[in-house]
Amino acid sequence: MSDIFSENNEGCKIAELDEIAMILTGISDNMFSSPSVSVSSRGTYFLQGESITASENTIKSIDFCCQRGYFSDAFTLTRKYRDDIIQYVFVAQVVENMSRLDDNEFKKLYGTELTAVNLIQAVISEMGILAAGTRKSAADLAVELWVYDVLEDEKYIKERKQYFDTSKYIAQLVKDEDIKQLMEIYLKNIWKETDRTLNNYVHGNGRKYILDNYTLYGNYQERKQKVIETVRNITSIFISILSIALPDKIQSSDYRDDMEFGITPREGCQYWVMPIIVEFMDMHFPKIHPNLLQFLENNNKYGMKMLMKDYVE
């Protein structure tokens, strides 16, 4: 077992894929540091970074296939990578946005003065609301089935068909007006192109998509580069949507590090994005759309700094 863990901790052989795996490591760490909490009659579950770590391992599997020239398998795994990380944003956003006590309800129950006692009462009331499920939408309840590992049951086929498919994740995410603009104005073309490529491989839409698993077929470097570009494009889409839906998940660790070491946090560091993500965005996002980064900076709800110039002293 120790050998398996040791091998899993090894990086990718392909540098471009290793960079993406490291980005996922950072995002997963943030999710473990500030998990989303799902509360239902089934109990309390902390939605942390396991799914993103699992997707990091998918990147390593893609790297493994590329080393051997198994490109049909690499692209099929790339489809899995795309579906899994978009699913995670959908699930995490739903869990984060489940109905709790609003400001008016809090004031009505406890007045305007916040005390330790009424804060505890508010938490208990919110937990009761979430556990009862009376305010949960159909999407909320479907996600709850996924979180508690019962969605696969035959009796939940309706929920699976209605909510659990990548196109349906996007349909739910774009109910947020900013994400809708992001997809329609900035990501539409790259999403369509990537989706077509992945479907061709998954469904074998042509002899060449099958033969891409034959090591002597075609140009190795050209095919490897296509995998890298596709994985990179998917990661760009993921980071873009995450920046709007859950921007704190791409936050640098500087603020937390300062607090843990008992020092006054550096001015503005709560708005800093992980350096590896800033560099990735600066390198690749302008190729997707020249205004994509500025849109993300202007429209993420926490004021996170997306532009490289924000970090130049």
Side-chain angles (χ1 to χ4, degrees):
M1 184 65 71
S2 60
D3 290 341
I4 294 175
F5 286 127
S6 177
E7 290 176 7
N8 284 346
N9 286 328
E10 292 181 4
C12 297
K13 300 292 191 297
I14 299 171
E16 295 91 341
L17 295 180
D18 197 48
E19 177 189 27
I20 290 168
M22 291 172 66
I23 287 172
L24 295 178
T25 296
I27 293 173
S28 178
D29 287 347
N30 276 351
M31 291 172 172
F32 278 110
S33 297
S34 55
S36 303
V37 183
S38 177
V39 179
S40 80
S41 59
R42 294 179 173 86
T44 301
Y45 181 85
F46 293 92
L47 191 67
Q48 299 178 305
E50 303 97 327
S51 292
I52 300 301
T53 299
S55 293
E56 178 188 343
N57 289 337
T58 301
I59 296 295
K60 294 177 182 178
S61 295
I62 294 168
D63 178 75
F64 180 91
C65 289
C66 288
Q67 295 305 310
R68 285 152 181 78
Y70 303 158
F71 290 107
S72 295
D73 288 349
F75 275 104
T76 301
L77 285 166
T78 300
R79 165 72 177 265
K80 171 179 168 53
Y81 170 62
R82 195 269 318 259
D83 293 353
D84 288 352
I85 59 175
I86 298 301
Q87 181 193 72
Y88 189 87
V89 181
F90 159 67
V91 167
Q93 188 194 45
V94 167
V95 171
E96 287 273 345
N97 293 335
M98 283 185 181
S99 295
R100 293 168 168 83
L101 287 175
D102 61 30
D103 290 341
N104 289 332
E105 288 173 320
F106 185 90
K107 290 177 182 178
K108 183 177 179 180
L109 287 171
Y110 310 112
T112 57
E113 184 179 354
L114 182 64
T115 67
V117 173
N118 63 28
L119 179 59
I120 292 172
Q121 290 174 329
V123 170
I124 292 172
S125 296
E126 287 184 345
M127 290 292 191
I129 289 170
L130 290 169
T134 54
R135 297 190 184 181
K136 291 177 180 175
S137 67
D140 294 342
L141 294 171
V143 165
E144 190 175 284
L145 296 173
W146 180 89
V147 168
Y148 294 94
D149 285 325
V150 293
L151 183 67
E152 65 186 18
D153 291 355
E154 186 59 31
K155 61 183 176 180
Y156 298 125
I157 186 172
K158 178 182 176 182
E159 287 81 0
R160 290 199 303 275
K161 287 186 174 181
Q162 189 168 356
Y163 294 103
F164 281 83
D165 175 86
T166 302
S167 63
K168 297 183 176 74
Y169 306 148
I170 295 297
Q172 290 294 316
L173 287 165
V174 297
K175 290 181 178 180
D176 180 300
E177 189 59 36
D178 288 331
I179 297 178
K180 181 179 180 180
Q181 287 188 50
L182 173 66
M183 293 301 297
E184 290 182 351
I185 299 173
Y186 302 97
L187 300 181
K188 181 179 180 179
N189 291 338
I190 192 174
W191 177 272
K192 184 177 180 180
E193 176 188 343
T194 301
D195 190 55
R196 182 71 270 154
T197 297
L198 298 178
N199 284 340
N200 284 337
Y201 278 97
V202 170
H203 300 295
N205 292 336
R207 185 175 67 98
K208 64 181 179 180
Y209 299 112
I210 303 299
L211 291 183
D212 242 3
N213 241 33
Y214 179 52
T215 55
L216 299 180
Y217 177 71
N219 184 288
Y220 173 84
Q221 292 299 331
E222 180 181 319
R223 291 184 291 160
K224 183 179 80 169
Q225 191 58 37
K226 181 64 175 178
V227 173
I228 292 168
E229 289 175 0
T230 304
V231 172
R232 182 184 289 147
N233 287 342
I234 291 167
T235 306
S236 297
I237 292 168
F238 167 60
I239 291 173
S240 297
I241 297 174
L242 193 66
S243 297
I244 300 297
L246 300 161
D248 57 316
K249 305 308 182 188
I250 62 170
Q251 184 184 40
S252 75
S253 65
D254 294 84
Y255 184 82
R256 293 195 306 273
D257 292 344
D258 288 351
M259 294 293 290
E260 288 176 8
F261 283 103
I263 62 176
T264 302
R266 286 155 284 180
E267 183 177 357
C269 69
Q270 67 269 35
Y271 306 116
W272 295 351
V273 173
M274 282 181 270
I276 191 172
I277 293 181
V278 174
E279 292 170 5
F280 181 87
M281 293 191 299
D282 186 66
M283 177 67 70
H284 302 295
F285 281 26
K287 301 172 189 175
I288 299 172
H289 193 287
N291 298 323
L292 173 56
L293 273 173
Q294 192 64 61
F295 176 85
L296 297 177
E297 177 146 319
N298 292 345
N299 292 280
N300 77 84
K301 60 186 176 182
Y302 295 152
M304 305 300 289
K305 301 299 182 182
M306 307 290 180
L307 302 173
M308 182 67 78
K309 68 180 181 63
D310 295 327
Y311 300 90
V312 178
E313 296 182 355

